[in-house]
Amino acid sequence: MPARLLLIDDDARLTAMLSDYLGAAGFEVSVAGSLAAARSQLASGAFDLLVLDLMLGDGDGLDYCRELRSDVHTRRLPVLMLSARGEPMDRILGLELGADDYLAKPFEPRELQARVKALLRRAEPQLPDQDVLRFGRLEIDLAERMARLDGKPCDFTSHQFDLLVVLAQSPGRVLSRDQIMDALKGHPLDAFDRSIDVHISRIRALIEDDPKNPRRVLTVRGAGYVFARKQDAENAV
């Protein structure tokens, strides 16, 4: 079945053009010209990905992204944010609040299509029998709760292993500290509160060839952390 996309933007000319373009590429596209319309469509149907404009007539896309991430039904729904504001802080804030990708206007429809496809690939669920995650020389055995680098076990604490798994299960996606904390619910709060950076440093000490120049767990300044998809090749992320 074709992936279902919801375009949330009050620019009627842009959404008409994107609907035609993405429709021709095989996607099923719906349009919401306001946040109210978006809420209505999400309540009545399922979508695989949202394309969300930052500035809308009846609200702010950043606030709506926060709303989506706080709702159990839409928490993991991929969101590609669009904005005419292309300043680095705008991009960082969008990612920090839960957007999976950010594209500044104006843009080429072909780039939007490529980014949509990339997000949909990332969102594909893991097979139930995929108990071992492999990233080059690093493997993470979920059943044994063991990580190995070049076949040698890494001596993680239980908390550190769980943090590594959270990152590794979303390769290529920037996760804010709040998102990481949310994924680690059930652990004692004092195990991670305000100490994620320390745990990341200890994880890097065990899985990085050069912890000061990491290639597996990368910092996105002001946004959070990203687990690299390609780790043992050049241009790692």
Side-chain angles (χ1 to χ4, degrees):
M1 294 180 63
R4 296 194 66 201
L5 313 181
L6 178 59
L7 306 182
I8 309 171
D9 198 310
D10 55 9
D11 184 335
R13 290 184 59 186
L14 176 64
T15 54
M17 182 270 289
L18 291 179
S19 294
D20 290 343
Y21 186 87
L22 294 171
F27 296 103
E28 183 178 331
V29 183
S30 298
V31 174
S34 66
L35 293 181
R39 292 186 181 98
S40 177
Q41 293 207 45
L42 277 173
S44 60
F47 292 91
D48 299 299
L49 183 143
L50 303 186
V51 179
L52 172 64
D53 188 44
L54 182 62
M55 302 176 66
L56 292 141
D58 62 342
D60 187 287
L62 291 175
D63 290 336
Y64 186 54
C65 192
R66 186 188 294 111
E67 177 184 323
L68 292 168
R69 293 305 179 232
S70 66
D71 187 327
V72 66
H73 300 294
T74 56
R75 181 173 296 167
R76 299 190 181 280
L77 182 63
V79 175
L80 171 58
M81 187 167 285
L82 304 179
S83 176
R85 303 198 315 236
E87 295 299 321
M89 278 309 301
D90 292 319
R91 294 196 295 272
I92 290 170
L93 187 57
L95 293 170
E96 194 165 31
L97 291 177
D100 298 279
D101 202 353
Y102 189 107
L103 186 58
K105 297 178 180 179
F107 55 83
E108 290 291 333
R110 185 174 178 180
E111 181 179 4
L112 175 67
Q113 178 184 327
R115 288 174 182 256
V116 165
K117 288 182 176 179
L119 287 180
L120 290 172
R121 284 196 299 270
R122 290 185 210 170
E124 291 176 355
Q126 291 187 344
L127 296 176
D129 61 350
Q130 189 175 354
D131 289 332
V132 179
L133 307 178
R134 292 184 174 85
F135 301 89
R137 296 153 49 217
L138 175 68
E139 68 175 33
I140 304 169
D141 191 319
L142 304 181
E144 292 188 18
R145 292 183 59 79
M146 173 66 69
R148 300 179 183 86
L149 183 65
D150 294 327
K152 298 179 181 178
C154 301
D155 188 20
F156 289 119
T157 66
S158 176
H159 295 321
Q160 290 163 7
F161 181 81
D162 289 339
L163 174 53
L164 177 65
V165 170
V166 167
L167 295 169
Q169 287 182 327
S170 298
R173 177 182 175 185
V174 178
L175 297 179
S176 69
R177 287 166 179 79
D178 286 344
Q179 288 174 306
I180 293 171
M181 289 286 291
D182 185 64
L184 290 167
K185 281 182 178 177
H187 288 268
L189 287 178
D190 60 358
F192 284 100
D193 191 23
R194 298 186 178 181
S195 64
I196 287 178
D197 294 343
V198 175
H199 288 290
I200 292 291
S201 295
R202 292 172 179 168
I203 288 171
R204 285 172 171 163
L206 292 172
I207 67 173
E208 300 283 1
D209 296 320
D210 181 0
K212 293 183 178 180
N213 295 286
R215 303 190 62 158
R216 302 183 190 282
V217 180
L218 310 180
T219 300
V220 180
R221 189 175 298 277
Y225 295 100
V226 58
F227 194 84
R229 291 189 298 273
K230 299 179 181 179
Q231 302 182 0
D232 295 311
E234 294 182 0
N235 302 321
V237 178

